[in-house]
Amino acid sequence: MKRERNSRQDRLLRVSKQNLPERKAEGEDGEMDLFRSVTQSVLGTPQQDQKSTGADTVDRLIDRVQSSTLLEDRRDGCRALKAMSRKYRVLVGAHGMDSLLQVLESDRNDHEIVNYALETLVNITAPEVFPEETEDSETTVDNQSSEIGEQFTEILTKRQENIALLVSLLDEFDFKVRYPTIKLLTNLLKNRPKDLQEVILVIPSGVSKLMDQLSDSREVIRNDTLLLLTQLTKSNTNLQKIVAFENAHDHLFDIIREEGYADGGVVVEDCLILMLNLLRNNPSNQTFFKEGSYIQRLTSFFTIPLEAKDGWSAQKVTNIHYMLQLVQTLVAPQNSAQVVTSCQKVMNQCGLLQALTGLLMATGVPVDILTVTITTVADMIRGNQQNQEFFADMMAPSNPPRPAIVVLLMSMVNDKQPFILRCAVLYCFQCFLYRNQTGQAQIIQTLLPQTADVVPGAKPFPNSVTAGQLLCSGLFSLDPVSNWFAAVALSHSLVDNIAQKENMLRVQLATSVGSPPVSLMQQCTSILQAGTKIPTRLGILMLLSTWLSHCPVAVQNFLSIPTAVPYLTAHVQANEHDELELVCQGLCAFVLGLCGQFNDGSSSNFSQESLRQLVSDRIGAENFSDKLSNISRTEAYTKAAKSPQLSAKQSSDLVFDHEFCRLFKSLEVSALRAVTPQLVNGTSTEVSPAEVKKYKDIIRDQDAEMTQLREQLSKFQSDLEQIASEKENLASKVQQLHDENTVLKAQQGMAAGVAIANSADTTSEATSSNTEQISQQLAYVQQQLAEMTHARDYYYYEMVKKDQELTAVQQQNGPGQQAVAVNGLQTSADNATSNPELENVRKQLEDLQLVLYNKDSEIQQLKEKVAEPAASEAPKDNAAESQEVTVFQKELEAVKASKATLEQEKASLELQLKDIQNENNQLKTQLATASGAGTNAGAVAACSKCEDLQAELKGIQGEQEDLLVLVTDQDSKMAEYRRKLRSYGEDVTDDEDEDDEDGDYGIPDDYDEDLEDLQ
């Protein structure tokens, strides 16, 4: 990522160097004087003959910001970079962005330097081009400069920590920090909206901190925050939900109220745009808006006087326009039916519908506001019977009063009215009749003669000018646009209402004075045959299609007109290449197909079979199918089928109506089959365009599914190969571990057995070498046994020596204890009389020490050292000495008992040693037999015996160690006894020969001689 960032910065630097001329440090005038005054204190004054470029200056400033230790120096450097960032923003951004971000992080407590850094970043990420960038360049760099801000934004947003740092700066209340931070975030959103939206979503409390800025008391910050949130919530449903649930609607309504609703300034416009972003195409926010009772607060937007004396300012028109869009967003037909129905109900209950209809009937309302108002009211009453009834009862404030529907229809059929207004009125009329059979009956009633039966539940219009009269006048007008509007309006009076289709057959029209009246259907046919303009023909053909569908009576009346079928046949078989003419031919084919589909055979002129034969002979099945399919191929059909609202911008865009597209889509295939005998009998391979499209969709879905399955299969295959390779690796690792385990076993003592097992296929020389190895091992074992035996004898000798010492101590303590008991109260002179007896005991001990260790001189020195303090010490308390001597005697008896136990263990060890010697002899015999016979069986047996012998040897060694522990305990006890005897004035020699060691077992050199003497 760092490499990519450096490469982008280098590319930006190259772009700058291509368009950046060199400038002299001296001799500049105008704006450079101000720049020198700012940077002179930081950079110093250059020499007269030295040239300085913008790049050098930027580099020096960045170095000052990076390396200066004083805050004032870094602040001056940032101030100079801000001054240069508009003219040299590529250099400043490419070289100094990291330094500026570091300043924001390290010098955050100094608000002035943070302000300079933020303003510099705002300049280098600005989406617009500064005039200073191109004032001295000969070439135009608008295209390059327009991308500079976006490229720097991409660099800045690559690290999430940078955006988190900017969001955290919003916590600072200082205007110098908060305001440029909001501007910088706005620039980043304009340049890279998706990247920044994703980053802000994952920053903890990121949206909350942005929403807190709406509560700032400073209007500049609040207003810029509105722009920031508007950019943030564009095309991001998740952010829209978060912002909405952060009480955004409450903040926005409060701001609109403070600014004066529609009379407010651009701030109201910004609030409404933000609310539109939150609600448009977001069902969750729409439901939240309705349930939060915010629809009721919309009513206050339209509480304006009906007579606007002061006129409508441009900003007021814009505000009202966005307010109407906000209402329309909640009840748009594209929303879910549940949301639309609930919002329509609330709008009627809270008086919002009444307020908008009042605005619709007001005078002096601008055309664009009136157009949007009519469209909004249309969406509010569409499909809602209660709202439709309210609209039907609404009267216009005219003299005499007229129904609002009549006033609107007068505008629709008037060719002097703006085109967009007439389209809005038609849409409103369509929404009024949508799923409203009562309204349809009212319209058809105004077309019937006054003596005609009134439809139950229908309300007649009590005015001289009725809706039916206006529609007929528009239908037969010389204006083709009025013809199209009137024909489509009449067709909506017949949608999904067979009763009204039959009633409209009774409509009689007087074409001229003195002429007999003709039916409406016959008059429509006459208009078609007159060769009128295309919009008129399109409107009448769509009216006839709606009239004839699902109504056999209307079909029979149409077929009874002599010129109807010949006209349709002639136009279908015509060879025209104009797009609209092809559409007219397709509509004629569709009407002819409906006549065949809904023909019940009661007509004497054309039966269903005769129509089939006519189409087959005069037109042809393929030609008929092609002409019919021309309708769905046009772009106008696609646009009209998407939305019920008219999207025409001019009269040439009037081609199809939404309800007709829905009707054509449902009856196209059946109408084609009704008049094409080949398709009916199944003898032709021709397929209707609808079926072709259906099969294409199926094939497309199957292809997509097959592609997905292929991708999954390839993924599974790659996973299988990966698993197989992992399995092979694991198998090789297991085999390697197995081999290593085998080698370790061989190294731990199985080398001999493995060698013998592997020598089965070798020569006799290998067998003899293995036998020699076994012999060496046996010799080593015997040597260890001999050493252990020698050590055991030594320890036995030591035990005997300790026994003698204990006997001597007992002999010494016996007379001493008697002297203490008899002469306990005598003086020190009486104690002195017992010294000759002690001297005799000492001599006996010295003789024993001379026989065992031959160290008379050392022991004599110890005797002299002990004798001196013994002669000078005063006698102890006789009673205490008597008790302690008794305790010593008990402990000596315990030592004797342990000595007897050791002797028993020694005897058992001797028995075990004899057994081992016998086994040794047997092994030697077996080894000799194996070597003489040259067989491997004996060697194997000998090897196993050797292993058993080694195990027994280890057991003996353990027992010997236990004996060593016991001997050590006895030595410690003896040393303690000697110490206590010395404390009583007795002269006892120390056994210092124990420290002498011989090999691994501590055996003295004269051990053998002493052992012979002892034996």
Side-chain angles (χ1 to χ4, degrees):
M1 182 180 294
K2 186 176 181 181
R3 190 183 301 110
E4 180 183 358
R5 182 175 183 178
N6 294 334
S7 63
R8 185 175 292 275
Q9 291 177 348
D10 294 339
R11 185 165 66 254
L12 290 172
L13 185 59
R14 288 197 299 270
V15 172
S16 173
K17 289 182 177 179
Q18 292 175 0
N19 302 283
L20 182 64
E22 295 185 354
R23 301 176 62 94
K24 294 182 179 181
E26 295 292 330
E28 296 285 340
D29 56 356
E31 62 190 18
M32 288 303 294
D33 294 338
L34 176 62
F35 170 71
R36 281 197 301 272
S37 64
V38 175
T39 59
Q40 194 171 28
S41 62
V42 181
L43 305 176
T45 304
Q47 299 179 1
Q48 297 293 331
D49 57 348
Q50 183 180 2
K51 293 184 178 181
S52 176
T53 64
D56 297 336
T57 305
V58 170
D59 290 339
R60 293 172 63 187
L61 290 173
I62 293 173
D63 182 69
R64 178 63 59 90
V65 173
Q66 291 177 345
S67 59
S68 296
T69 57
L70 294 178
L71 179 61
E72 291 77 6
D73 293 342
R74 295 197 300 274
R75 188 187 300 121
D76 293 338
C78 289
R79 185 188 299 111
L81 285 176
K82 173 190 173 183
M84 300 184 66
S85 59
R86 295 174 67 90
K87 186 175 183 61
Y88 305 107
R89 68 165 171 171
V90 175
L91 292 173
V92 175
H95 293 171
M97 181 177 290
D98 293 336
S99 301
L100 295 172
L101 293 173
Q102 184 63 31
V103 167
L104 295 179
E105 186 174 358
S106 59
D107 297 330
R108 182 170 179 174
N109 294 329
D110 187 81
H111 292 171
E112 187 174 358
I113 191 173
V114 170
N115 174 261
Y116 293 146
L118 289 173
E119 290 289 350
T120 306
L121 291 174
V122 169
N123 290 336
I124 65 177
T125 59
E128 66 273 5
V129 180
F130 297 117
E132 295 88 338
E133 295 183 72
T134 57
E135 62 179 2
D136 292 334
S137 59
E138 298 179 356
T139 60
T140 303
V141 292
D142 290 348
N143 294 333
Q144 295 178 353
S145 298
S146 62
E147 298 177 358
I148 291 174
E150 182 178 354
Q151 293 174 358
F152 281 128
T153 300
E154 183 179 358
I155 296 173
L156 185 62
T157 56
K158 279 187 178 297
R159 294 181 67 248
Q160 179 180 337
E161 294 80 5
N162 296 336
I163 309 302
L165 176 62
L166 296 178
V167 173
S168 64
L169 289 175
L170 295 175
D171 295 333
E172 302 292 339
F173 186 75
D174 193 348
F175 182 83
K176 295 180 180 179
V177 178
R178 182 174 291 188
Y179 180 64
T181 302
I182 294 175
K183 291 199 301 182
L184 178 57
L185 290 174
T186 305
N187 286 346
L188 300 180
L189 281 168
K190 290 180 180 179
N191 294 327
R192 307 283 294 186
K194 292 184 178 180
D195 296 344
L196 200 63
Q197 286 171 349
E198 294 175 357
V199 175
I200 292 180
L201 271 176
V202 299
I203 294 178
S205 303
V207 179
S208 300
K209 292 181 180 180
L210 294 176
M211 290 298 301
D212 292 340
Q213 310 310 310
L214 291 177
S215 303
D216 199 304
S217 58
R218 294 162 292 192
E219 293 185 359
V220 177
I221 294 179
R222 183 199 66 185
N223 298 341
D224 278 18
T225 303
L226 289 174
L227 300 177
L228 171 62
L229 292 174
T230 301
Q231 295 291 334
L232 181 65
T233 55
K234 281 184 178 179
S235 304
N236 193 305
T237 306
N238 294 328
L239 282 173
Q240 291 171 0
K241 293 179 181 178
I242 296 174
V243 172
F245 282 92
E246 288 284 345
N247 296 327
H249 297 305
D250 291 328
H251 290 293
L252 296 175
F253 275 110
D254 292 340
I255 295 173
I256 293 173
R257 178 177 50 80
E258 293 174 0
E259 295 292 328
Y261 295 107
D263 294 326
V266 70
V267 178
V268 176
E269 178 184 351
D270 295 335
C271 292
L272 294 172
I273 293 175
L274 178 56
M275 294 178 72
L276 283 173
N277 285 349
L278 298 178
L279 295 176
R280 186 178 287 120
N281 299 325
N282 196 321
S284 176
N285 283 0
Q286 292 172 2
T287 305
F288 176 74
F289 192 86
K290 177 184 68 69
E291 294 177 352
S293 301
Y294 294 111
I295 295 179
Q296 290 83 341
R297 301 177 68 174
L298 292 175
T299 308
S300 58
F301 287 1
F302 305 100
T303 55
I304 57 179
L306 299 180
E307 298 291 339
K309 298 180 181 180
D310 298 335
W312 292 67
S313 64
Q315 187 61 53
K316 182 176 181 179
V317 171
T318 304
N319 293 342
I320 292 292
H321 182 77
Y322 282 115
M323 290 177 181
L324 292 171
Q325 283 190 5
L326 183 62
V327 177
Q328 194 174 3
T329 302
L330 297 171
V331 291
Q334 294 79 11
N335 297 343
S336 63
Q338 183 178 1
V339 174
V340 171
T341 303
S342 58
C343 290
Q344 288 175 340
K345 181 179 179 181
V346 174
M347 290 177 180
N348 189 8
Q349 293 175 350
C350 69
L352 181 59
L353 178 59
Q354 183 178 1
L356 288 179
T357 53
L359 177 62
L360 189 148
M361 294 291 106
T363 58
V365 180
V367 175
D368 51 351
I369 294 298
L370 185 59
T371 302
V372 179
T373 304
I374 293 173
T375 306
T376 305
V377 171
D379 288 331
M380 295 172 69
I381 66 175
R382 177 182 170 85
N384 190 294
Q385 185 176 0
Q386 185 177 1
N387 292 359
Q388 289 170 345
E389 292 177 355
F390 172 82
F391 185 74
D393 296 337
M394 186 183 65
M395 303 299 291
S398 60
N399 190 16
R402 292 190 179 95
I405 296 177
V406 174
V407 175
L408 293 176
L409 289 178
M410 292 174 64
S411 301
M412 185 185 72
V413 298
N414 187 0
D415 57 353
K416 304 299 183 180
Q417 295 294 335
F419 176 77
I420 57 173
L421 179 63
R422 300 171 71 183
C423 292
V425 172
L426 176 60
Y427 178 66
C428 183
F429 187 75
Q430 293 173 354
C431 293
F432 170 70
L433 299 178
Y434 182 71
R435 296 180 182 177
N436 184 11
Q437 293 188 354
T438 303
Q440 290 175 338
Q442 290 178 359
I443 301 301
I444 300 301
Q445 178 187 349
T446 60
L447 291 171
L448 297 175
Q450 296 299 324
T451 57
D453 296 334
V454 178
V455 178
K459 297 180 180 180
F461 292 103
N463 300 285
S464 57
V465 180
T466 63
Q469 293 175 356
L470 292 172
L471 292 177
C472 288
S473 64
L475 184 62
F476 305 130
S477 172
L478 298 178
D479 179 24
V481 177
S482 299
N483 301 151
W484 192 91
F485 283 142
V488 171
L490 279 175
S491 66
H492 279 266
S493 302
L494 306 176
V495 172
D496 299 330
N497 196 331
I498 298 178
Q500 301 308 320
K501 292 178 182 179
E502 295 178 354
N503 286 334
M504 202 164 74
L505 292 174
R506 299 157 50 191
V507 175
Q508 300 293 321
L509 301 175
T511 57
S512 62
V513 178
S515 300
V518 296
S519 65
L520 179 60
M521 183 174 290
Q522 186 176 1
Q523 185 64 26
C524 291
T525 308
S526 301
I527 294 175
L528 288 176
Q529 294 176 353
T532 54
K533 294 184 179 180
I534 292 179
T536 303
R537 285 184 286 166
L538 291 175
I540 291 177
L541 287 172
M542 287 190 292
L543 173 60
L544 291 175
S545 300
T546 307
W547 199 347
L548 298 178
S549 62
H550 305 284
C551 186
V553 178
V555 171
Q556 298 307 321
N557 279 271
F558 181 75
L559 292 178
S560 63
I561 300 174
T563 60
V565 175
Y567 172 81
L568 296 177
T569 305
H571 275 74
V572 172
Q573 65 181 357
N575 189 11
E576 299 288 345
H577 300 287
D578 184 70
E579 183 179 359
L580 293 180
E581 287 291 344
L582 291 176
V583 173
C584 289
Q585 294 174 11
L587 290 175
C588 291
F590 184 61
V591 172
L592 191 59
L594 293 176
C595 291
Q597 180 180 359
F598 299 103
N599 190 349
D600 57 358
S602 61
S603 176
S604 59
N605 295 330
F606 294 97
S607 63
Q608 189 175 23
E609 185 63 30
S610 61
L611 286 176
R612 293 174 184 172
Q613 189 65 33
L614 177 65
V615 170
S616 177
D617 296 341
R618 299 284 301 274
I619 302 174
E622 295 182 0
N623 189 21
F624 186 86
S625 176
D626 291 340
K627 295 299 177 65
L628 191 62
S629 63
N630 287 335
I631 296 177
S632 58
R633 294 174 184 173
T634 59
E635 184 180 357
Y637 176 86
T638 305
K639 290 183 178 179
K642 287 183 178 179
S643 174
Q645 185 175 355
L646 292 176
S647 59
K649 303 299 180 182
Q650 52 188 358
S651 59
S652 60
D653 297 334
L654 296 176
V655 181
F656 293 111
D657 175 61
H658 177 74
E659 286 297 329
F660 170 78
C661 294
R662 191 171 62 88
L663 176 68
F664 179 81
K665 185 177 181 180
S666 62
L667 297 179
E668 177 187 8
V669 177
S670 58
L672 178 64
R673 290 181 177 178
V675 297
T676 307
Q678 293 87 345
L679 296 178
V680 174
N681 299 328
T683 59
S684 175
T685 58
E686 296 181 1
V687 184
S688 65
E691 291 184 349
V692 172
K693 183 179 180 181
K694 177 181 178 181
Y695 292 136
K696 285 182 179 179
D697 294 339
I698 294 174
I699 293 173
R700 190 180 298 108
D701 295 339
Q702 291 178 350
D703 290 340
E705 186 177 359
M706 290 176 62
T707 303
Q708 185 178 3
L709 292 175
R710 289 194 187 97
E711 293 177 355
Q712 292 180 358
L713 179 60
S714 60
K715 181 180 179 181
F716 291 153
Q717 288 178 350
S718 61
D719 294 342
L720 182 61
E721 292 176 358
Q722 183 178 1
I723 292 172
S725 62
E726 292 178 356
K727 181 181 178 182
E728 293 178 358
N729 295 334
L730 291 175
S732 61
K733 288 182 181 179
V734 170
Q735 184 63 31
Q736 183 179 359
L737 293 174
H738 181 70
D739 297 339
E740 292 178 357
N741 189 18
T742 304
V743 172
L744 290 175
K745 288 181 180 179
Q747 292 177 355
Q748 290 178 355
M750 298 179 65
V754 172
I756 294 173
N758 293 334
S759 63
D761 298 333
T762 57
T763 59
S764 59
E765 294 180 358
T767 304
S768 61
S769 64
N770 293 335
T771 306
E772 290 177 358
Q773 292 179 359
I774 295 174
S775 301
Q776 292 176 0
Q777 291 181 359
L778 289 175
Y780 175 71
V781 172
Q782 290 175 359
Q783 182 181 357
Q784 288 185 344
L785 287 175
E787 291 176 357
M788 292 297 297
T789 304
H790 192 261
R792 187 198 62 186
D793 294 340
Y794 170 72
Y795 291 135
Y796 175 71
Y797 164 73
E798 290 292 333
M799 290 167 57
V800 172
K801 184 178 69 174
K802 298 297 182 181
D803 188 18
Q804 291 178 355
E805 290 179 358
L806 289 173
T807 303
V809 171
Q810 289 175 357
Q811 292 175 0
Q812 183 178 1
N813 289 337
Q817 184 177 5
Q818 293 175 2
V820 171
V822 176
N823 300 320
L825 301 175
Q826 294 179 358
T827 61
S828 61
D830 294 332
N831 291 332
T833 58
S834 62
N835 288 333
E837 294 178 358
L838 292 174
E839 291 293 335
N840 293 331
V841 174
R842 292 193 188 96
K843 290 180 180 180
Q844 292 177 2
L845 291 173
E846 288 174 359
D847 293 337
L848 290 174
Q849 294 295 331
L850 288 172
V851 174
L852 295 174
Y853 300 105
N854 294 324
K855 293 184 179 182
D856 296 335
S857 60
E858 294 180 3
I859 296 174
Q860 184 63 31
Q861 293 175 1
L862 292 174
K863 288 179 182 179
E864 293 174 357
K865 292 180 181 179
V866 173
E868 291 177 358
S872 61
E873 275 186 351
K876 308 292 184 179
D877 189 2
N878 293 330
E881 289 179 355
S882 176
Q883 292 178 0
E884 291 179 357
V885 169
T886 304
V887 173
F888 291 160
Q889 287 180 352
K890 292 180 180 180
E891 291 179 353
L892 287 174
E893 291 176 359
V895 171
K896 288 181 180 180
S898 64
K899 182 184 74 171
T901 304
L902 291 174
E903 288 178 354
Q904 293 178 2
E905 292 179 356
K906 181 193 71 173
S908 64
L909 289 174
E910 288 177 354
L911 294 175
Q912 291 179 2
L913 182 60
K914 290 180 181 180
D915 295 339
I916 291 172
Q917 289 176 353
N918 294 333
E919 289 178 358
N920 254 340
N921 295 330
Q922 293 177 3
L923 288 173
K924 289 180 180 179
T925 305
Q926 292 177 0
L927 182 61
T929 305
S931 60
T935 61
N936 294 330
V940 173
C943 182
S944 63
K945 290 291 184 180
C946 180
E947 293 177 355
D948 296 339
L949 187 59
Q950 288 179 352
E952 293 180 0
L953 177 61
K954 291 180 180 179
I956 294 173
Q957 289 177 351
E959 295 177 355
Q960 291 294 337
E961 291 176 357
D962 295 338
L963 289 175
L964 284 173
V965 174
L966 293 174
V967 171
T968 304
D969 293 339
Q970 288 183 355
D971 289 341
S972 62
K973 291 181 180 180
M974 291 295 297
E976 181 68 20
Y977 295 155
R978 290 192 187 94
R979 186 183 63 78
K980 292 184 177 182
L981 287 174
R982 290 194 194 99
S983 64
Y984 296 134
E986 300 297 332
D987 189 6
V988 183
T989 60
D990 293 334
D991 187 6
E992 297 177 355
D993 295 336
E994 294 175 17
D995 297 331
D996 297 332
E997 296 180 356
D998 183 13
D1000 294 335
Y1001 301 97
I1003 302 176
D1005 296 335
D1006 55 352
Y1007 162 71
D1008 295 332
E1009 297 178 359
D1010 294 340
L1011 183 61
E1012 291 176 357
D1013 296 339
L1014 182 61
Q1015 290 175 352

